[in-house]
Amino acid sequence: MYIKDLSKYESQEITLKGWAANKRESKGLVFIILRDGTGLCQCVVDANSVSETIFNEARKATLETSLSITGKIVKDEKQIGGYELQATNIELIQVAVDYPIAKKEHGIEFLMDNRHLWLRSQRQWAIMRIRNTIIFAIHKFFQNEGFLQMDAPLFTGNAVEGTSTLFETDFYGDAAYLSQSGQLYGEAMAMAHNKIYTFGPTFRAEKSKTRRHLSEFWMIEPEIAFHDIFDNMDLIERFLRTVVTEVLNTNKAELELIGRDTAILENVVKPFPRLTYDEAVKIIKGEVDVNGINAITSLEQELAEVKNSIEATKKEIDEREEKIKTPGMKKGEIGFNQAKIDKLKQELSDLEEQERNIPGWLNSARNFEYGNDFGGSDETVLTRLFDRPIMVYNWPHEVKAFYLKRDPENSNFARGVDTLAPEGYGEIVGGGERETDLNLLVEKINEHQLPMQAFEWYLDLRRYGSVPHSGFGLGLERLVTWVCKLPHVRESIPFPRMYGRLMP
RNA sequence: UCCUUGAUAGCUCAGCUGGUUAGAGCGACUGACUGUUAAUCAGUAGGUCCCUGGUUCGAGUCCAGGUCAGGGAGCCA
């Protein structure tokens, strides 16, 4: 019997097993908020309706104590799930002493050190359920479209691109690297099965400490024979639309719990704007407006607003600190103001962080040099102007991967496409049409100074029945992060691995 | 790797231009209260002020080096 099914058991006596997520006591009553992994339910133990022994057991149930509790289910609109259990019996399974994660505020380092316990808290619980929906929806989408799931190896003999971002391991005495992409293997598999996708972990040894990087993350890489870049963009759009819509339909409660405004997510039903690199650069530099909004001036405005907010926040902190000092103030009122002050100070340091960052972004946007790849801040500057994901295609070929097809219309460009999430999230999908010309590929491999011999098998794909083909890579955690509007990718995966973080 | 901010109680933080015995809230513990939603109220315990060295009559506070962490850049999904 699970809490999610309580409505089926109204006015019946049932037994629930779970953990005490919270407890409040008064003279003859104990309120236990039971958490069973499927939901929360308040359980009331009344001294008048149970024996003294049972009542005393209930009082011993500390935070995160595991227990089973039996009682009658009654409807109560005030409660979280709409139901309450009136206990007739309680059995403690293990009494938890001094559970580290309290009901209140914690810093990120502490929470990350306690990630194994943090996963139990409401917000993290909701995020993981949304992650699950996304994973399932991805499989459903591809399977329904006739794709075959085929996985690429995780041990690889060489890099797809530079070797600086690879984790090296010992493979029976030879150097082997943890895969940073299944892309090339995906192409081989697509030549065998036409439409395939891989779904597995990927490893990047980048010493990055930003909100969008993990050392170990899950990537979905479809590869499709006889698709050009435009077919590819159609697929990306249909794919994201289907997956996000699935979350909207399945996880209403979870989205509400984490406070996600779903209006922008609902916009995925509308067509995604498609910009060429040239068009996107003009927008970033402020030469072209989007829907009457200019990238540069709107960012300048935001900087001014941030500065105003800083002043206003400082003022409010001062006022409340002055207020606390007034003699004869009740303890409760002091506590209330103190909590407010703490919150305001947190907001203030976030705002000051922004005040330090925005000028750099402005600078990067104003001085953007045509021909360069977009940086994180350029993506932010660009995507802030849109209310749904956008696709940027036809990139200068020098800044993109060696395997991307040169645009037949203009050989300065490669047929790559990046899909950027709105609200400043940036790249969630990178892909494109693959180069089919053997000579151009060989030239590129030399240019990038890659070991030709390691790519002979890959070149075989162009020697034996080469066809136009395309594909893309989706970073699962980046999608989860955007869908949930998380401040950082580290909350989008159960146990994040990143620079400086290997435990727990 | 670079820029930037920080490290004080179990947790979140205050501690001013160096000055006697180190502060708050929350949590824990004890007690009061018959329906609470971060319950409330009263009380108790709880400290290697990140590490090493320096300046000084005196360092949580100043200086140098280091370690760890937050944010950003580069790179990327």
Side-chain angles (χ1 to χ4, degrees), chain A residues 334-396:
Chain A
I334 292 175
F336 175 79
N337 277 290
Q338 193 59 54
K340 272 273 193 227
I341 289 169
D342 286 354
K343 210 174 161 194
L344 286 168
K345 284 195 175 169
Q346 187 55 53
E347 281 173 28
L348 183 64
S349 77
D350 286 351
L351 284 167
E352 284 172 342
E353 199 85 59
Q354 285 186 51
E355 194 189 21
R356 279 194 295 272
N357 290 336
I358 293 177
W361 297 358
L362 265 170
N363 227 19
S364 162
R366 282 203 196 97
N367 304 324
F368 187 87
E369 241 175 85
Y370 182 89
N372 284 351
D373 203 353
F374 294 171
S377 66
D378 304 316
E379 288 177 359
T380 304
V381 169
L382 179 63
T383 57
R384 283 171 79 243
L385 308 176
F386 293 89
D387 62 356
R388 64 196 100 143
I390 61 169
M391 299 197 272
V392 182
Y393 66 102
N394 274 12
W395 294 75

Side-chain angles (χ1 to χ4, degrees), chain A residues 49 78 82 167 185 272 321 377 446:
Chain A
S49 41
K78 280 188 298 184
F167 286 106
Y185 298 97
F272 296 1
E321 277 180 339
S377 66
N446 284 329

Side-chain angles (χ1 to χ4, degrees), chain A residues 93-355:
Chain A
I93 298 165
Q94 191 256 332
V95 177
V97 180
D98 292 339
Y99 184 68
I101 300 184
K103 297 175 219 171
K104 257 186 97 174
E105 43 182 347
H106 293 288
I108 191 63
E109 190 183 3
F110 178 80
L111 289 170
M112 288 301 299
D113 285 342
N114 288 283
R115 182 61 172 168
H116 53 300
L117 302 176
W118 189 24
L119 287 171
R120 300 181 187 190
S121 68
Q122 279 283 83
R123 188 179 157 79
Q124 300 305 311
W125 175 84
I127 293 167
M128 288 306 132
R129 289 174 68 92
I130 291 168
R131 178 184 165 101
N132 175 67
T133 301
I134 289 175
I135 292 171
F136 192 32
I138 288 169
H139 281 293
K140 271 198 289 192
F141 173 82
F142 286 122
Q143 295 290 336
N144 285 341
E145 294 234 349
F147 284 64
L148 202 73
Q149 189 195 344
M150 293 181 77
D151 288 311
L154 300 187
F155 281 122
T156 57
N158 59 275
V160 173
E161 280 154 271
T163 50
S164 60
T165 62
L166 291 166
F167 286 106
E168 192 176 325
T169 63
D170 179 344
F171 191 78
Y172 306 113
D174 286 333
Y177 305 94
L178 295 182
S179 170
Q180 58 173 188
S181 167
Q183 150 86 55
L184 303 185
Y185 298 97
E187 291 183 44
M189 297 188 284
M191 298 304 115
H193 291 269
N194 201 306
K195 295 195 277 191
I196 65 97
Y197 69 109
T198 67
F199 196 139
T202 337
F203 308 89
R204 305 261 168 106
E206 290 153 359
K207 288 185 179 174
S208 303
K209 290 177 73 152
T210 79
R211 63 183 63 198
R212 30 174 172 298
H213 285 90
L214 291 169
S215 303
E216 176 185 287
F217 63 95
W218 288 72
M219 193 149 69
I220 293 89
E221 294 181 288
E223 195 67 38
I224 311 94
F226 307 104
H227 258 207
D228 66 14
I229 189 174
F230 302 102
D231 300 321
N232 201 33
M233 286 195 270
D234 291 344
L235 178 69
I236 292 170
E237 188 169 337
R238 205 162 67 241
F239 165 73
L240 286 175
R241 182 169 297 140
T242 307
V243 171
V244 172
T245 303
E246 184 79 13
V247 173
L248 286 169
N249 293 337
T250 315
N251 297 105
K252 269 200 172 62
E254 286 83 0
L255 289 166
E256 200 189 323
L257 201 146
I258 62 176
R260 176 51 156 140
D261 171 16
T262 54
I264 280 201
L265 296 180
E266 279 154 18
N267 283 341
V268 296
V269 298
K270 300 179 197 163
F272 296 1
R274 298 180 186 188
L275 314 172
T276 62
Y277 172 86
D278 282 14
E279 291 166 329
V281 169
K282 283 187 182 123
I283 294 169
I284 290 171
K285 290 174 78 83
E287 291 164 7
V288 172
D289 291 359
V290 177
N291 304 321
I293 306 170
N294 184 278
I296 300 284
T297 54
S298 75
L299 196 59
E300 281 167 345
Q301 254 169 41
E302 191 173 326
L303 182 58
E305 276 162 29
V306 165
K307 284 183 170 161
N308 285 337
S309 303
I310 287 174
E311 287 314 308
T313 310
K314 276 183 180 163
K315 206 175 150 201
E316 195 178 342
I317 290 173
D318 287 348
E319 279 169 11
R320 287 189 190 272
E321 277 180 339
E322 210 47 53
K323 208 171 162 191
I324 286 182
K325 287 178 192 156
T326 39
M329 181 175 272
K330 276 192 181 168
K331 208 180 164 187
E333 209 175 344
I334 292 175
F336 175 79
N337 277 290
Q338 193 59 54
K340 272 273 193 227
I341 289 169
D342 286 354
K343 210 174 161 194
L344 286 168
K345 284 195 175 169
Q346 187 55 53
E347 281 173 28
L348 183 64
S349 77
D350 286 351
L351 284 167
E352 284 172 342
E353 199 85 59
Q354 285 186 51
E355 194 189 21

Side-chain angles (χ1 to χ4, degrees), chain A residues 43-46 49-50 54 69-72 85-90:
Chain A
C43 303
V44 187
V45 187
D46 187 334
S49 41
V50 296
I54 291 174
I69 188 161
T70 305
K72 191 176 157 191
L85 182 142
Q86 292 175 345
T88 53
N89 193 18
I90 181 165

